[in-house]
Amino acid sequence: MRAILSSVLVSLVCGIAGPALGQASSSPDTTPRANPRMSHCIAIADAAPGIEYLHKASFRDPVPEYSVRISYVAHSAYLIQTRGGLSAVTDYPGYLGNVDFIPDVVTMNHAHSSHYTTAPDPAIPHVLRGWSETFGEAADQHLDLGEMLIRNVSTDIRSMGGVEENGNSIFIFEVEGLCVGHLGHLHHEPNDDQYAAIGRLDVVMVPVDGGMTLDTASMVRVVQRLKSSIVLPMHWFSGASLGWFLDGVEEEFDIDLRQESSLTVSLRDLPERPTIIVLQPEYLRDEME
C-alpha cells in the first residue's frame, strides 16, 4: 500500500489534473424554509450496499438524479453539490480557484486561519460559522434549504495552551437521503452525547494529519466508531501521516487510492464494506474549450 500511496502522491506533486466541479445551469432556491425539518440522520440504521462514481465531471455539469457530488478542493475544503444546483463548501478558506463561482453555503471553523476567512464574499447567501461570537458558547446552525439540510455539532479545541469549549463544529449535510459529515478541526474524541447528536454518517471527511488535530490512533477510533460507508481523508500534509492513518484502518476498511479529485455517490450505491477513498485536492477550474 505504501508504494501505491507514494505513486499517487508523486502524481499529485507533478500536477496531474483531476476533474473540477460546478453548479447546475439553473439557479437553485437558497431561501431557508420557514419551518426547518428535523434531522433524518440521527439514530438511523446502517446504509445500503454498492457505490457509484462519475469521474471527469466538468465544472459546470449537473449532478445525476438521487446523487451528490463531492470535490476535494484543498486542505479541509470540500465542495458538495446537489442535483438541483445547490453548492456548499466546508471549512471555507476564502479561495476556491481562479473561477467565477459563488457557493450557496460555506461553513467555517476558526482553529486555524486556513479553515475560515474573516471576509467571505458578501455574495455568498449563507455563511455558517462553527463557533459562537460569545467565547465558549456553542454555535447553533440549522439551515434547511429544502434539497439540503445543514446542521452542526460543537466540539472543543485547544487554544492558547488551554481549551476553548465549543470552538469547533462538526457539520452534517443531509441531501438525497445521504448524511455527509465533516469533522472540521477535531481536537478530541466526541463523547457519547456528541456521537448521538451526529447520528448516522454515510460519508465523513476526516483530518488525518496525526497531531495538529487528533493523533492517528485516536482518529482511527473515531472512524471505527462512526462506521461510515465512505471515509474521505483530508488535512494531510505528507504521505507519512496519510500512510499511518491508512495502516491503522486497513484491516476494517477497504482502501481506494484515486488520482481524481471528485466522486459522485448515491444512497442506493454505498459500498457493502466501509471504504477509505483518497481523493487528490485540486482547486476549481474551468475546462479548456
Side-chain angles (χ1 to χ4, degrees):
M1 180 195 306
R2 290 297 181 86
I4 298 174
L5 176 59
S6 298
S7 176
V8 172
L9 293 174
V10 168
S11 296
L12 174 62
V13 172
C14 292
I16 286 183
L21 304 173
Q23 295 171 302
S25 57
S26 58
S27 298
D29 181 5
T30 61
T31 304
R33 288 186 174 182
N35 298 303
R37 61 191 147 136
M38 298 299 293
S39 166
H40 76 270
C41 296
I42 298 176
I44 296 181
D46 294 337
I51 189 166
E52 173 188 354
Y53 302 109
L54 292 181
H55 298 305
K56 301 190 181 302
S58 168
F59 187 121
R60 308 298 179 184
D61 281 353
V63 176
E65 189 176 17
Y66 307 122
S67 301
V68 61
R69 187 161 60 211
I70 302 173
S71 169
Y72 189 15
V73 180
H75 199 51
S76 292
Y78 285 84
L79 171 63
I80 303 170
Q81 295 175 282
T82 72
R83 181 190 180 202
L86 283 174
S87 57
V89 175
T90 65
D91 275 14
Y92 176 63
Y95 179 76
L96 299 175
N98 188 23
V99 292
D100 180 14
F101 178 79
I102 300 294
D104 301 305
V105 184
V106 298
T107 65
M108 300 191 297
N109 278 297
H110 75 162
H112 290 283
S113 60
S114 53
H115 297 253
Y116 74 102
T117 175
T118 57
D121 192 319
I124 298 171
H126 305 287
V127 177
L128 307 184
R129 293 171 175 82
W131 67 97
S132 172
E133 296 301 320
T134 302
F135 188 86
E137 184 175 303
D140 183 15
Q141 304 288 5
H142 193 101
L143 177 65
D144 186 357
L145 299 177
E147 194 180 17
M148 180 186 290
L149 171 68
I150 306 170
R151 59 186 178 86
N152 77 304
V153 176
S154 292
T155 64
D156 302 339
I157 60 173
R158 299 181 292 271
S159 178
M160 296 179 290
V163 173
E164 178 186 345
E165 294 182 356
N166 301 310
N168 178 70
S169 277
I170 296 169
F171 280 96
I172 298 99
F173 305 81
E174 305 187 16
V175 55
E176 295 291 354
L178 287 164
C179 305
V180 180
H182 186 281
L183 298 187
H185 212 275
L186 186 64
H187 287 186
H188 64 86
E189 296 183 50
N191 58 37
D192 288 343
D193 288 342
Q194 289 166 330
Y195 275 119
I198 292 167
R200 183 186 100 238
L201 293 181
D202 303 301
V203 181
V204 63
M205 300 122 176
V206 178
V208 298
D209 54 90
M212 291 188 67
T213 55
L214 272 177
D215 63 273
T216 299
S218 298
M219 194 62 74
V220 168
R221 286 196 297 271
V222 171
V223 169
Q224 291 169 335
R225 170 84 180 255
L226 288 171
K227 293 181 169 57
S228 301
S229 296
I230 297 175
V231 176
L232 301 176
M234 64 177 182
H235 206 260
W236 44 274
F237 299 94
S238 69
S241 62
L242 178 59
W244 295 331
F245 173 76
L246 296 179
D247 288 345
V249 296
E250 64 181 350
E251 291 187 4
E252 297 183 42
F253 290 78
D254 287 341
I255 296 175
D256 185 359
L257 302 174
R258 314 190 74 85
Q259 291 187 353
E260 292 82 10
S261 64
S262 68
L263 61 83
T264 300
V265 60
S266 65
L267 182 63
R268 61 189 176 185
D269 296 319
L270 290 171
E272 294 183 1
R273 178 175 164 84
T275 302
I276 311 291
I277 301 178
V278 179
L279 298 176
Q280 305 303 323
E282 181 184 0
Y283 286 114
L284 301 182
R285 62 183 177 85
D286 281 305
E287 295 294 321
M288 299 294 291
E289 296 294 338

